[in-house]
Amino acid sequence: MVKKAVFAGGCFWCMVKPFEEQPGIISVTSGYTGGHVPNPTYEQVTTGLTGHTEAVEIQYDPDIISYEQLVDIYWQQTDPTDALGQFADRGDSYRPVIYYGDEEERAIAEKSKQQLQDSGRFTQPIVTKIEPRTTFYPAEDYHQDYYKKNKLHYQLYREGSGRASFLRKHW
C-alpha cells in the first residue's frame, strides 16, 4: 500500500532531496497546496494571492518508513520558529505547514510539535502550522528534481539562502 504525505517548508527545491534519499520513499513531487486557485502556476503562487504554499507530496511505503519518521525528517529541514517564510524566502507561499490526511496523522504531527517545543532545542515558540491536506497541484516540470538537474545552483541557493547553515547549527 502506498500512502501520501504533504509538507511545506519554504522553497520546495530544498525539501525534495532529504526525503527522496530515505528508504521506503517512492516519489517526491514539488508543487502547490492549501490555496483557492485551481492549477496555479509558480508565478501566481509567488504573488502570495492564491493562498497556496510551495510544498512536496511524498508517496511512501508505510511498511518501510512511518509517517512519524517523515515528520521527524520534516522538522530537520525547517526553521519551525519562523511563520513568515523560511530562510531567504519570505511570504505566505513559503510558510511552514504539515498537511495531515487523517486524524491519526494530525495526532502524530501535533504530538511531534509539542515534543519539539518541550525539548528546549529552540528558545522561541514552534509556530509551524498543522492543517488538513487539500488538493495538491504538481509544479511545472522545471521545478521537479531541481537538485539533480541544477546541482550547482541548488547548492549555491541552499547555502546562500541561509538554510544550510541554520540546519547545521540547530539540527
Side-chain angles (χ1 to χ4, degrees):
M1 174 175 80
V2 175
K3 292 190 80 174
K4 290 182 183 178
V6 177
F7 301 109
C11 177
F12 47 31
W13 296 344
C14 294
M15 296 295 292
V16 175
K17 185 178 180 185
F19 289 103
E20 204 167 69
E21 294 177 331
Q22 303 300 315
I25 300 300
I26 297 161
S27 67
V28 181
T29 304
S30 295
Y32 317 108
T33 194
H36 57 273
V37 174
N39 296 305
T41 65
Y42 176 74
E43 290 73 23
Q44 289 174 311
V45 172
T46 57
T47 68
L49 301 175
T50 67
H52 289 285
T53 59
E54 286 194 13
V56 290
E57 181 182 72
I58 300 160
Q59 291 193 32
Y60 67 100
D61 181 341
D63 291 331
I64 299 173
I65 189 167
S66 69
Y67 185 75
E68 187 173 50
Q69 289 172 297
L70 294 175
V71 171
D72 287 345
I73 295 164
Y74 168 78
W75 290 123
Q76 296 175 45
Q77 310 314 310
T78 68
D79 175 354
T81 68
D82 187 352
L84 303 176
Q86 290 288 285
F87 313 104
D89 296 310
R90 311 311 301 156
D92 206 43
S93 62
Y94 296 109
R95 65 192 178 95
V97 184
I98 296 172
Y99 292 99
Y100 62 87
D102 58 28
E103 280 305 304
E104 180 183 6
E105 289 180 0
R106 184 198 60 73
I108 289 168
E110 293 284 358
K111 179 181 177 187
S112 181
K113 180 178 178 179
Q114 189 60 53
Q115 287 173 333
L116 183 57
Q117 183 66 59
D118 293 346
S119 75
R121 181 181 292 272
F122 296 95
T123 57
Q124 297 174 312
I126 305 303
V127 296
T128 299
K129 298 289 186 190
I130 298 171
E131 299 177 358
R133 194 164 64 217
T134 60
T135 304
F136 180 88
Y137 299 98
E140 297 81 353
D141 284 344
Y142 71 94
H143 289 300
Q144 305 304 330
D145 294 320
Y146 193 86
Y147 80 96
K148 292 177 184 174
K149 295 187 229 174
N150 299 283
K151 289 178 184 176
L152 179 60
H153 187 259
Y154 166 77
Q155 283 299 87
L156 292 172
Y157 175 79
R158 190 170 157 79
E159 288 293 334
S161 70
R163 183 183 294 262
S165 63
F166 179 91
L167 298 180
R168 283 192 296 268
K169 180 179 177 183
H170 291 281
W171 296 103

